[in-house]
Amino acid sequence: MKRMCFSLLLSCLILLSGCNKDSDLQVETPSFDVIDYTLRDGIDSLGNPVKQIVFNLEGNADIISFYSGEVFQEYAYKDGHVIGVDELNMSFEYMASVGEGTDLDWDQLSVHATTSFDGTVTEEGTGWTDITERFTLPKAADVTARTTTSASISDLLVSGQPLYIAFKYITPPRTTSSAYTTWDIHEFKVEAETLLGVESVVSQRDAALPLYHFGPDDATTPGRSARTVTTPPRLRFRANILADNMPFTAGVWAVAPPIIVEDEIDLGPDRPIGIKSRIDPALREYTYVYEEPGTYKVAFVASNVTTKGEANIVRELEVVVP
């Protein structure tokens, strides 16, 4: 009889234990909502007047997070935020000075692009595409002031390959040492336009553009300095002036660092602001200050969490900040 009673008691305990486990696995969904919001005048920490958005809340949850709807705080990108490169632009400033005896029909300066630069150059520019016509680069004799020119180079990008941009300067054979044009290049840069603004990709201010010569070069003669010089502020192209070198075609390429820009940039997931933890009392209102006027899609994520699981609800609304 005692053995039978013990078995019955043990069965009841097992049954009760099973019921408790099933109960523990169930996490109660938060009872939480955003009633509305109001606009209120306020003062920031520096004493400046600001417009405060006051959200009126009801219900409760263990944890509440807030997505303001601003860039990097959008609920729509909680799992990852990928933006595209809208445009890749190149710009530079130029100035020219024509030497006496120069043939004014000479086009000594040109702009080129390639995705397969191997560190060598030729007079013909094998493997390079001439993109000079994209820019407003007049004949040297028509340049009267330092001028800026720019153009899109987005179409030159090839996925997975670096893009190289170069300035090519060439001087035909001549008999007079002053018969050439000095070209100065300033502020060369390549910038990417995205949803977040303009980002510098390559800039002449960061580093001088390396030079690659073809044909004779005065600088190879002992005691002679380089005619073309490159520094972060300026790239100056000039021709050979030694008598032995003037009868030959000669030139130099200034090649920018490789440009590597993907079609899309992964910024990672957007992050919310934690506005309530488990130990905090229930929130009845939450105040947020937007720096810029606009329309924002706000999200409150309310969560109840136990060691056995988590239950969430999301409340979204549109906020207009004047």
Side-chain angles (χ1 to χ4, degrees):
M1 182 68 179
K2 289 183 178 180
R3 180 177 298 176
M4 183 180 297
C5 291
F6 177 77
S7 298
L8 182 60
L9 177 61
L10 182 60
S11 298
C12 291
L13 289 173
I14 293 173
L15 180 61
L16 289 172
S17 175
C19 291
N20 288 338
K21 286 183 179 179
D22 289 340
S23 177
D24 289 343
L25 289 174
Q26 296 177 1
V27 182
E28 184 179 355
T29 301
S31 174
F32 172 82
D33 208 350
V34 183
I35 304 171
D36 56 20
Y37 72 88
T38 56
L39 185 65
R40 187 169 65 191
D41 291 328
I43 301 295
D44 67 12
S45 59
L46 299 177
N48 301 313
V50 294
K51 294 293 184 181
Q52 299 176 333
I53 301 295
V54 182
F55 297 95
N56 300 305
L57 315 174
E58 68 177 5
N60 196 21
D62 293 340
I63 298 170
I64 303 175
S65 300
F66 173 72
Y67 289 87
S68 69
E70 297 167 292
V71 176
F72 296 133
Q73 289 190 24
E74 298 180 77
Y75 180 74
Y77 300 114
K78 64 182 178 60
D79 297 320
H81 198 157
V82 177
I83 61 172
V85 175
D86 300 323
E87 202 73 57
L88 190 67
N89 295 313
M90 170 182 158
S91 62
F92 59 94
E93 297 178 5
Y94 60 83
M95 182 63 191
S97 176
V98 179
E100 184 177 354
T102 299
D103 186 335
L104 299 183
D105 288 331
W106 283 349
D107 291 318
Q108 291 190 260
L109 182 67
S110 55
V111 188
H112 301 258
T114 188
T115 56
S116 58
F117 179 55
D118 63 1
T120 61
V121 296
T122 63
E123 177 186 339
E124 296 77 16
T126 304
W128 291 83
T129 299
D130 192 325
I131 60 172
T132 311
E133 290 186 356
R134 297 184 182 217
F135 303 92
T136 55
L137 196 64
K139 295 284 188 179
D142 297 327
V143 179
T144 58
R146 184 164 154 174
T147 306
T148 301
T149 183
S150 63
S152 171
I153 56 173
S154 300
D155 60 302
L156 301 176
L157 289 172
V158 177
S159 180
Q161 296 184 30
L163 174 65
Y164 294 88
I165 300 293
F167 295 93
K168 176 187 176 184
Y169 176 88
I170 187 170
T171 306
R174 65 199 199 287
T175 57
T176 306
S177 64
S178 59
Y180 66 88
T181 298
T182 298
W183 280 96
D184 290 328
I185 303 297
H186 302 262
E187 301 296 339
F188 163 72
K189 57 189 174 185
V190 175
E191 296 176 320
E193 293 183 11
T194 71
L195 174 67
L196 304 179
V198 177
E199 179 182 353
S200 177
V201 179
V202 172
S203 174
Q204 186 179 1
R205 285 185 172 269
D206 295 335
L209 275 60
L211 302 178
Y212 301 83
H213 292 265
F214 61 87
D217 178 13
D218 282 5
T220 60
T221 300
R224 306 294 300 192
S225 59
R227 296 285 295 158
T228 293
V229 292
T230 179
T231 64
R234 181 182 66 183
L235 170 62
R236 166 162 283 188
F237 291 106
R238 293 183 298 181
N240 294 322
I241 57 173
L242 290 179
D244 289 345
N245 292 333
M246 285 193 301
F248 303 97
T249 298
V252 59
W253 293 69
V255 182
I259 298 167
I260 303 175
V261 177
E262 297 298 330
D263 294 336
E264 295 181 330
I265 302 172
D266 188 351
L267 303 175
D270 281 16
R271 303 295 186 184
I273 301 170
I275 62 174
K276 181 192 179 299
S277 68
R278 184 190 297 272
I279 63 173
D280 294 328
L283 277 179
R284 292 295 168 255
E285 67 175 33
Y286 175 67
T287 302
Y288 190 80
V289 175
Y290 287 89
E291 298 294 335
E292 300 291 339
T295 300
Y296 301 90
K297 189 169 186 179
V298 167
F300 288 82
V301 181
S303 307
N304 281 342
V305 182
T306 72
T307 57
K308 300 298 183 180
E310 178 178 336
N312 303 310
I313 59 171
V314 180
R315 296 290 184 255
E316 295 182 279
L317 70 157
E318 197 172 83
V319 171
V320 178
V321 181

